[in-house]
Amino acid sequence: MTNPLLARTDLPLFADIRPEHVGPAVTELLAEANAALDKVTGDTVPADYDAMSAVLDVATERLGRAWGAVGHLNSVADNPALRAAYNESLPLVTEFHTRLGADERLYAKYKAIATSPAAKALNPARQRALSNAMRDFVLGGAELQGAARERYAAIQDRQAALSQLFSEHVLDATDGFTYYTTEAELAGVPDDVKASTRAAAEADGQAGHKLTLHLPNYLPVMQYGENRALRERLYTAYSTRASDLGKPEVDNTAVMKELLALRQEEAKLLGYANFAEVSLVPKMADNPAEVIDFLRDLARRARPYAEKDLAELRDFARTELGLADLQAWDQAFASEKLKERRYAFSDQEVKPYFTETKVLEGLFGIIETLFEVNIRPDSAPVWHPTVRFFRIERAGQLVGQFYLDPYARPGKRPGAWMDDVRGRWARPEGTTQTPVAHLVCNFASPVNGKPALLTHDDVTTLFHEFGHGLHHMLTKVNDVGVAGISGVEWDAVELPSQFMENFCWEWQVLKHLTAHVDTGEPLPQALYDKMTAAKNFQSGMQTLRQVEFSLFDMRIHAEPGSEDRVQAVLDDVRDEVAVMKAPPFNRFQHGFSHIFAGGYAAGYYSYKWAEVLSADAWSAFEETGTLNPETGRRYREAILEAGGSRPALDSFKAFRGREPRIDALLRHQGMA
């Protein structure tokens, strides 16, 4: 059998990878990596950065690429056979990386490099990579001995399995809900959504309309559906996904409890008071108290605006919609109606102008203008017919490539994300490896032969993920450990993504980003004016919602024993922060994949932290012009090209010439 996961091709052979390839490939690649580890820690390889990289990094990067392809398919093309193959190999891969990160022999060689006179002669990027490596050895348990060392390894293995299980439960609970409904019950729901749900029902051989919990389906019903009982049915199903109120086989209650307990145990083994302290070691924030103070300060500033938002919404719902007791399943519906009344503007009104084709054309135009590159269609094996592949060039030279997987479908994890296929690297063999990225969204698919239509939120999401992608692909750093997003502090990694969102509100941008699906006309200025007037609608409530999630995340990871009181901590945070309380049955935490399966544990605050940086960075473009190439070049060189080769604060100061300020964020959100 020719195994595509072992092929030494430039790009993964996604179309050829099958579940039966996973086990044999992982076995062979782990054997290679283990042999490389033994060799590099022996006497034949000197304590020299390049010599060690030529042996160990080459082997581990090959393993990482193949395993990354399997993990990616597990996220976007899940099926029982692939899931089983992935879960069978996951403990083996986890065990290797845990052992690698704690190998005393390897740690000793790195210490020898770090303390040698030659270390001072290393270039800044390599010094940063070396410093990160030394820190990560300590966090990886390299200084633990005996039983503590063994327990640490067991904890890593179990955490990896639990995170995967959490993700599977959310996916299965989301895919597991179906409700067939009638045309009458969908009163108020937009026609394009009804066309999609009708087609989905027909595909199942059913009459009427098929509703699911996938967001392109769920959100429009919550936002526009006039049937209150239907909204309550969907809200209840969505907010209890993977919880004790659903099917026991996909309940995440025990998974969360065990994960939190293991994280606290890991922290104790490493000499920290709690897991939040461990999480913050490689981040910009110094300690949990600093983060909690930041979040509470933001909540204090936003609360007056949020209370005003809610009072207005309740008054409108009571007097105009006959909803005397505004409930959680009414909030999106009442908010949309209030926005339409106040600004004569509806999200649905702008949607026909945002065809996927035109949005991508406009997005690529911005990137090409500001960052002096060209984006071209390219070809590569893909995992689904709707996936596309592109290349980025500068002056005819390849800079990076990316896959774009835009549409929601069964078996695909909810949400949107950027992931790396490979990083930029001056390889020991003498070639420069260019970066490749995955850009994944969950938009509604095209219907009736027309281009896919995006909401303005969808457009913002697309720009956000492209910001991550540009950070990964436009780097000029040649050390793979600090190239692109690698080595960037987690609470700064959202800077380039949130920065890109700002373009979605600029008239000079939007008029080139829009073309009505039927007429081809760009977005009218009058409609744009209504959009911008409504931009900060309920921004106080939205800010408090993000603070609620962030504070809950930080507290359950900073308070030992929280595994026994997850709901109590969330209730406590809601009492402190939220202006509109969630119903008692709401189990938001059971689907909070960011912190239980996505690497954001004690790090969800990063979105608000980095928003301060991104808003302040954007203010530089407000000063010089949105599409000013000179400002774009400075931003590219200071932030994107530098990647993780220096502290994020240094990169920010190199661009802005000063430390970040919160003023721009508050001003942008109408809370100055």
Side-chain angles (χ1 to χ4, degrees):
M1 177 178 68
T2 303
N3 193 322
L5 288 168
L6 295 174
R8 295 182 182 272
T9 51
D10 191 41
L11 296 164
L13 301 175
F14 282 117
D16 299 330
I17 298 169
R18 302 286 178 267
E20 59 268 25
H21 296 138
V22 176
V26 167
T27 299
E28 184 169 328
L29 292 169
L30 280 173
E32 279 184 18
N34 276 309
L37 178 58
D38 287 340
K39 181 178 180 181
V40 85
T41 52
D43 296 333
T44 58
V45 178
D48 172 81
Y49 201 102
D50 288 319
M52 292 171 64
S53 179
V55 176
L56 187 59
D57 290 349
V58 169
T60 55
E61 201 257 357
R62 188 172 181 224
L63 168 66
R65 265 211 238 181
W67 184 241
V70 177
H72 176 70
L73 290 175
N74 185 58
S75 294
V76 296
D78 178 75
N79 62 61
L82 179 63
R83 181 181 291 188
Y86 179 83
N87 284 332
E88 191 176 329
S89 290
L90 178 62
L92 304 175
V93 177
T94 304
E95 186 277 334
F96 170 76
H97 282 295
T98 302
R99 188 160 40 81
L100 179 73
D103 192 289
E104 291 174 284
R105 303 165 301 166
L106 190 61
Y107 184 31
K109 280 211 161 175
Y110 268 95
K111 278 199 273 195
I113 297 172
T115 55
S116 71
K120 295 182 176 59
L122 295 175
N123 66 54
R126 185 155 290 186
Q127 287 187 13
R128 176 84 168 162
L130 184 59
S131 169
N132 289 352
M134 298 298 290
R135 174 200 70 202
D136 293 343
F137 271 115
V138 177
L139 292 179
E143 296 184 345
L144 299 178
Q145 300 295 325
R149 188 184 189 82
E150 289 178 14
R151 181 58 188 154
Y152 179 90
I155 287 172
Q156 300 312 304
D157 185 37
R158 184 61 182 153
Q159 282 193 64
L162 288 168
S163 291
Q164 169 65 6
L165 188 60
F166 187 97
S167 187
E168 287 175 3
H169 284 172
V170 174
L171 176 60
D172 290 348
T174 304
D175 280 349
F177 176 89
T178 297
Y179 177 62
Y180 295 99
T181 185
T182 62
E183 180 88 17
E185 214 175 354
L186 289 179
V189 176
D191 289 341
D192 65 307
V193 177
K194 288 194 286 190
S196 174
T197 56
R198 188 184 303 112
E202 287 172 3
D204 287 356
Q206 299 283 338
H209 297 258
K210 179 183 181 180
L211 298 183
T212 73
L213 298 180
H214 289 283
L215 291 184
N217 207 220
Y218 172 78
L219 287 178
V221 176
M222 299 307 297
Q223 204 171 356
Y224 300 101
E226 294 167 8
N227 188 309
R228 194 184 193 195
L230 178 63
R231 295 199 308 267
E232 183 178 359
R233 177 192 288 264
L234 285 187
Y235 176 87
T236 303
Y238 190 86
S239 65
T240 57
R241 285 179 308 156
S243 79
D244 54 313
L245 300 178
K247 293 178 181 176
E249 61 269 26
V250 293
D251 179 9
N252 271 331
T253 303
V255 179
M256 288 188 294
K257 179 174 180 173
E258 190 178 350
L259 263 175
L260 289 169
L262 288 173
R263 287 170 180 172
Q264 297 296 6
E265 187 183 352
E266 176 188 327
K268 286 283 169 59
L269 283 173
L270 294 174
Y272 291 90
N274 54 66
F275 184 79
E277 290 185 359
V278 178
S279 174
L280 293 181
V281 172
K283 294 182 172 70
M284 290 179 74
D286 288 331
N287 54 64
E290 182 185 5
V291 173
I292 289 170
D293 288 348
F294 164 74
L295 292 170
R296 285 179 168 150
D297 178 53
L298 196 54
R300 179 183 58 76
R301 293 167 185 256
R303 175 164 284 277
Y305 298 93
E307 288 172 341
K308 183 168 177 283
D309 290 341
L310 183 59
E312 289 173 346
L313 185 64
R314 283 194 166 133
D315 183 58
F316 176 80
R318 184 179 64 254
T319 59
E320 303 297 324
L321 303 177
L323 297 171
D325 59 332
L326 185 74
Q327 297 292 334
W329 48 89
D330 302 320
Q331 188 174 342
F333 176 75
S335 295
E336 181 61 28
K337 293 295 183 189
L338 174 57
K339 187 165 72 172
E340 289 175 16
R341 173 70 61 86
R342 179 176 295 171
Y343 303 105
F345 161 72
S346 156
D347 286 337
Q348 197 56 30
E349 195 180 349
V350 304
K351 191 174 174 183
Y353 291 95
F354 288 115
T355 63
E356 182 196 5
T357 317
K358 190 67 176 176
V359 169
L360 277 179
E361 179 189 308
L363 170 59
F364 291 176
I366 293 166
I367 294 167
E368 290 180 335
T369 300
L370 270 192
F371 304 134
E372 300 171 305
V373 294
N374 297 107
I375 302 177
R376 302 276 183 264
D378 204 347
S379 59
V382 295
W383 52 93
H384 192 271
T386 57
V387 176
R388 278 156 278 169
F389 189 64
F390 297 88
R391 65 194 284 115
I392 302 179
E393 298 173 349
R394 180 178 292 117
Q397 295 294 309
L398 179 65
V399 173
Q401 293 159 294
F402 61 91
Y403 300 85
L404 178 63
D405 184 354
Y407 310 128
R409 57 181 178 268
K412 183 178 177 183
R413 181 158 62 85
W417 65 92
M418 190 288 291
D419 205 354
D420 66 316
V421 181
R422 68 179 190 218
R424 182 178 170 90
W425 186 20
R427 295 184 64 96
E429 303 94 326
T431 58
T432 298
Q433 173 175 293
T434 52
V436 182
H438 290 301
L439 297 166
V440 185
C441 297
N442 270 283
F443 304 143
S445 299
V447 181
N448 298 333
K450 292 187 174 182
L453 299 181
L454 309 185
T455 65
H456 187 251
D457 279 349
D458 288 339
V459 176
T460 305
T461 297
L462 182 67
F463 272 64
H464 178 103
E465 299 309 334
F466 259 91
H468 284 309
L470 293 170
H471 202 187
H472 177 63
M473 291 183 285
L474 298 190
T475 186
K476 283 195 171 178
V477 179
N478 287 324
D479 274 277
V480 71
V482 288
I485 57 171
S486 297
V488 177
E489 297 97 316
W490 199 259
D491 41 8
V493 83
E494 297 295 337
L495 190 172
S497 54
Q498 292 175 330
F499 165 84
M500 286 296 292
E501 293 181 24
N502 291 287
F503 289 105
C504 303
W505 292 98
E506 292 295 315
W507 173 242
Q508 289 302 113
V509 169
L510 286 181
K511 64 183 181 183
H512 299 297
L513 207 67
T514 53
H516 194 282
V517 65
D518 295 323
T519 67
E521 291 294 313
L523 185 77
Q525 172 102 40
L527 190 50
Y528 165 77
D529 291 341
K530 293 175 184 177
M531 279 175 64
T532 50
K535 178 187 176 187
N536 290 320
F537 178 64
Q538 295 184 344
S539 65
M541 285 171 67
Q542 288 166 9
T543 297
L544 288 192
R545 184 168 175 266
Q546 287 298 305
V547 170
E548 176 188 316
F549 298 165
S550 303
L551 199 51
F552 164 69
D553 166 44
M554 188 54 64
R555 281 193 52 188
I556 59 169
H557 288 105
E559 298 173 11
S562 66
E563 67 271 14
D564 293 319
R565 43 191 303 274
V566 174
Q567 187 67 52
V569 172
L570 181 56
D571 292 343
D572 193 32
V573 168
R574 284 171 169 164
D575 286 342
E576 177 186 350
V577 172
V579 288
M580 183 168 178
K581 301 296 190 294
F585 64 78
N586 180 290
R587 296 290 188 270
F588 156 77
Q589 66 273 28
H590 287 72
F592 199 1
S593 296
H594 273 79
I595 69 167
F596 290 114
Y600 277 84
Y604 193 81
Y605 77 92
S606 302
Y607 284 100
K608 298 314 290 183
W609 186 279
E611 212 172 338
V612 173
L613 304 176
S614 62
D616 201 349
W618 178 253
S619 62
F621 286 80
E622 292 178 314
E623 293 159 11
T624 63
T626 304
L627 295 174
N628 183 297
E630 180 53 40
T631 312
R633 188 179 303 123
R634 286 197 301 109
Y635 173 81
R636 186 188 83 219
E637 291 171 353
I639 307 284
L640 301 180
E641 291 181 356
S645 66
R646 61 186 175 190
L649 185 59
D650 290 354
S651 291
F652 180 89
K653 289 194 289 191
F655 175 58
R656 285 303 269 144
R658 56 167 174 75
E659 301 239 345
R661 301 172 188 151
I662 198 171
D663 315 35
L665 173 62
L666 297 172
R667 177 169 53 81
H668 286 167
Q669 296 187 344
M671 296 189 294

